[in-house]
Each structure stands twice: as C-alpha cells, then as structure tokens.
Amino acid sequence: MESILIKNANIFTPQGNRALKGEEMAHILNIKGGAVLCVDGVISYVGSEDSLPQLPADCKVVDAGGRALVPGFIDSHTHLVFGGYRPDEFEWRLNGDTYMSIMERGGGIQSTVNATRTEDAESLKCKAQCFLNRMTEMGVTTVEAKSGYGLDRDTELKMLDVIDTLSRDNADRIGVVSTFLGAHAVPSEFKGRTSEYVDFIINEMIPLVQDKAEFFDIFTEKNVFEIEDSRRMMQAAKNAGFKLKLHADEIVTLGGSELAAEMGAVSADHLLHISDEGGRALADKGVVAALLPLTAFALKEPFAPARKLIDAGAAVALATDLNPGSCFSGSIPLTIALACIYMRMSIQETLSALTLNAAAAIDRADSLGSIEVGKRADMVILEFEGINSLPYYVGMNCVREVFKNGKSIF
Ligand code: NIG
Ligand code: FE
C-alpha cells in the first residue's frame, strides 16, 4: 500500500461528480490548513489537519507550506499528434489571410494531413511526448487527444495507435483519452465528394475504430461538414457506442451547438459564434460547453461568450485546442489569463472550468476533477497561497508541484 499526505495546504476545489452549471461554477470549497491523504492513488481524506485519521505506516508527508492546492488541470480538447508544422500559414494570417481561405486553397488541415501521412509513428509519438511533458509542468494531469490528420484508413489507425501508446507509456504521469476525428476535413482525394467521404467514415472507418477511441468528433462547419452530414455521422457513431463531441459554431453560426444537444453529445467545443438558442440548448441538455480561448486569440476572432453561457445556466469548460494550425499553443497559464481578463469568467469559475467541468467534458467527472474522497489523487500545488495567482501569472507558470495518482511527478 502506497500512501502520501499533503499537509499545510490551502485547498481550493469544486465539488461533485458532474459538471457544475451556471452559478454553481463559482462555488469553490476552501479549506485553510488543509490536509489530503491519498492511498494507492485515491484520495481517502480531505479536511482540516486537526481531524486527520491515523496515518498508514510509511506514509510519505509533503508540506505544502500554506500554498494553494487545486485539482490537476484537465485539457479536454487537443490535437496532440500531428506531422509537420505550419508557421508560414501563421504569417499569412498576420498579413490578412483567413483560416478558412487558406484551408480552401488546400492548405490548413490538409497540409498537416500530408505531413502526417508521411511521418512515421515513432516520430509522431516523440513529438507528442514532448508536448505531454510540457503539459505536465503546467499542471495538466489528464489530456484528450484527437486523430484527424490522417483522413485515410492507415493514417487514422496510425494516429490512434500512437495515442494508445502515449496513453500506456504515460499512465503514471498523465492520463490520455482518445477521440476519433476522421471527420476533421474532406481530404483532397475526395474533393467535391463530401457525401462519399461521409459514407466512407460511416461504413468503413467507424467499424474499424470503434474499439480504438472513446469519443467521436466532427469539424462541423460551413463548407466542411454541415449539419445533415454531421447528424448522419453522429448517429452512426452513437450506434457504434462512441461518446460524442463536436467542433461547433467555430467560424460561423451553423447550429452545431443545437445539433450537439439534439444528439446528446458530451461536449460542444469552440462556440465562438454560438447563437442564444444554441446556448440554451446546451444548458438544457447538460452538454458541456468547452471553450478554447487560445484559438480565438491566435485567429484574432472574438472570444466565445463565456459570461452569457454561464449566466444562461450552461456548464463551461476550458481547454487549449493545441494543434499545428489554428492554435499552436498548449498554454494553461495563458488560457486562464484570457478567460479571466477577456471572457469575464471569475477565478473560481475558471478553476471549475479547467478541473471538474473539464473532467465532465471527457466523461470523467465521477473519478477526476476535484479533491474529494474517492477521486484519483491528481493535484497541483501552486506557488502562492491563493488561487488569484492563477490569472496574476499572465502566461507564466505558477505550478510548483504536480501529483498524479498520489505520486509527485513534477
Ligand atoms: O480545433 N477547426 C478545426 N480543427 C482545429 C484546427 C486544426 C488545424 O488547423 O490543424 C481547431 O481549431
Ligand atoms: Fe480542435
């Protein structure tokens, strides 16, 4: 039996086994002079140091020095595995090009698809591992990773294999949850034949990958996969046992949010251009609204209406969207700063959005996302005693120590 006690901690945590909606997001439990006992990777006591139970023999003790202790961060939306890089496109966008016009010219996602098809699995894995290591330093203890840069049978399988290997290699450092995003774009060999590609996803890919990924995601967007095609794929994926996610209302208002609600998706992501009806639909159906401020920032687009969504009773999560195109950043500190400064989320809401609600966005709210008895012992000690250090460290890391499954890993 392995045990660890973190004492003298200023504990801040959301509570519960489900996403917090609307005003619940601001409810953060604070225990000053707190202690957390973890046995075999699971939290067995949280409370004041005064009422600690008898410690197990050989219990390791960590003194947090009065600093803030928060749940490990969860990055619920990343495109972690990819070939090549796209710095040229970034420069074109600085000069006025748009994300969609580059994509329509055959760049964008297709350019990473070309690179991913030729790069071998080992190299893809090594690159992704570097990002995972950096994420760990920023306090991320679980990450979601999507395929979607293969868009053919072999390369999609290669990507899912890489994600699976990463998940096994990192089991005691960072959890990796896999998503099949074969519907990320229509690849060049299917240009002008979108419905044939949709048939290919439904008839060939879904049966092939149904045991290799937990989630099914689509880039539902004007001129990519529109509502009818998306609904068709989601229905097939649901029938095959996938949980659903959607890139929704990112570039234009298309109704992806309403579709996510209709299909019972676990999360709808991006939402820069979500309509009021879309927001209400997510709130009503309990679909987590996963917002990705780094992407809006990098694309110079308006931020998603976080305040409006929370005030409408939705459950908001935050994630990075790390990818080589629209958002080459996995920065948790900058995500926090943007959420607090520009999206008018409170520090408490931001913490809920990166922990418990992010856990809900990957359907893990029963085991992750808060410091509570019975949950995995994934936690972070910050540099300061308060959680206001989170946005105060603008774009800088304020994580001092990271625990995964009750083990100090950073
Ligand atoms: O979440 N918009 C679609 N997918 C990604 C970007 C992928 C890329 O540009 O390579 C996103 O923004
Ligand atoms: Fe994305």
Side-chain angles (χ1 to χ4, degrees), residues 272 291-294 296-298 300-308 310 318 333-347 349-350 391 394-395:
L272 307 193
L291 310 184
L292 317 169
L294 294 171
F297 182 59
K300 252 172 133 176
E301 291 287 330
F303 292 98
R307 191 69 266 142
K308 213 167 165 180
I310 296 172
L318 288 162
L334 191 54
T335 299
I336 292 171
L338 295 175
C340 291
I341 300 169
Y342 289 110
M343 296 163 85
R344 295 193 295 134
M345 291 174 66
S346 71
I347 298 169
E349 289 166 344
T350 299
V394 180

Side-chain angles (χ1 to χ4, degrees), residues 2-72:
E2 249 182 88
S3 59
I4 185 169
L5 172 74
I6 304 173
K7 65 169 197 176
N8 194 13
N10 197 8
I11 302 171
F12 293 90
T13 182
Q15 291 174 279
N17 291 315
R18 58 167 181 83
L20 301 181
K21 298 177 84 173
E23 61 179 5
E24 294 172 345
M25 285 184 65
H27 298 169
I28 295 290
L29 173 72
N30 177 214
I31 307 172
K32 258 197 155 63
V36 181
L37 179 63
C38 319
V39 178
D40 288 338
V42 176
I43 296 170
S44 64
Y45 172 84
V46 183
S48 108
E49 254 174 72
D50 309 334
S51 21
L52 255 179
Q54 172 87 42
L55 295 186
D58 301 323
C59 184
K60 193 172 171 244
V61 178
V62 173
D63 188 330
R67 295 183 184 84
L69 179 74
V70 299

